[in-house]
Amino acid sequence: MKQRTAIFPGSFDPFTIGHLSIAERGIKLFDRLIIAIGINDHKQASLPEQQRIETISNAVRHLPGVEVIAYRGLTVDVCRQYDAEFILRGIRSVTDYEYEMNMADINRRISGIETVVLYTLPEYAYVSSSVVRELQRYGQDVGQFLP
Ligand code: ADP
């Protein structure tokens, strides 16, 4: 039988316990899950690319079938490259919902690739990379939000 492969794309700047939870729950649905860090050369990320890959790889060490890559360009092109038929995403709120629905529609339209979304566990609903970055900027310890 054909392997079921999904791409879990995101900025992951940084990769939080919310992201980890989606990866842990997501790998139960697929044979192979590729966490794909979207690199935007116009945006300054907190860590260099290789270090971001290593940090996330460490966080998902305990999950067989989960891999980590970095990419530039369209998510659907990465899907084709890895023969992935699905995109995995997470939803925390109505705001996420509207954005994710729009992205899912566009991606299906241009490639036929289906997006599978998982609702966040309620205990992670408030965790976001942007809030973690904001707290870090003001010297707050953010360890509790990171894997
Ligand atoms: P992007 O910039 O592509 O939205 P993010 O790194 O912010 O990338 O998020 C990647 C995916 O993870 C998105 O689908 C987002 O909704 C989801 N996500 C982020 N934080 C959480 C969380 N705490 N719980 C569940 N899903 C989350």
Side-chain angles (χ1 to χ4, degrees):
M1 215 174 77
K2 190 168 184 290
Q3 269 213 335
R4 277 176 178 266
T5 302
I7 301 286
F8 178 22
S11 313
F12 306 122
D13 188 27
F15 188 82
T16 67
I17 50 176
H19 294 129
L20 177 60
S21 164
I22 296 294
E24 285 173 340
R25 292 164 64 208
I27 189 58
K28 295 179 187 158
L29 306 174
F30 306 103
D31 300 304
R32 189 176 179 214
L33 180 65
I34 299 165
I35 298 174
I37 311 168
I39 304 288
N40 182 342
D41 289 319
H42 302 289
K43 259 203 223 158
Q44 175 83 29
S46 330
L47 290 175
E49 186 174 326
Q50 201 51 42
Q51 212 171 324
R52 295 171 73 190
I53 295 177
E54 276 164 29
T55 306
I56 301 177
S57 299
N58 266 327
V60 298
R61 247 188 338 230
H62 63 297
L63 299 174
V66 178
E67 296 157 46
V68 184
I69 60 158
Y71 75 103
R72 291 173 173 72
L74 289 178
T75 305
V76 296
D77 287 334
V78 184
C79 291
R80 292 191 187 105
Q81 192 184 336
Y82 286 87
D83 204 15
E85 291 171 286
F86 306 97
I87 292 171
L88 175 68
R89 296 280 290 180
I91 287 185
R92 283 162 296 188
S93 61
V94 175
T95 317
D96 277 357
Y97 175 87
E98 289 190 349
Y99 178 75
E100 294 301 337
M101 188 172 87
N102 185 254
M103 289 304 297
D105 286 343
I106 290 171
N107 285 328
R108 191 185 320 100
R109 185 86 188 195
I110 63 175
S111 69
I113 291 164
E114 288 286 4
T115 298
V116 173
V117 295
L118 289 176
Y119 293 104
T120 186
L121 296 183
E123 57 265 42
Y124 300 133
Y126 67 93
V127 178
S128 72
S129 298
S130 54
V131 165
V132 169
R133 285 199 306 274
E134 186 77 7
L135 292 173
Q136 265 170 334
R137 192 172 307 135
Y138 295 105
Q140 264 289 313
D141 176 23
V142 293
Q144 61 178 314
F145 306 118
L146 305 178

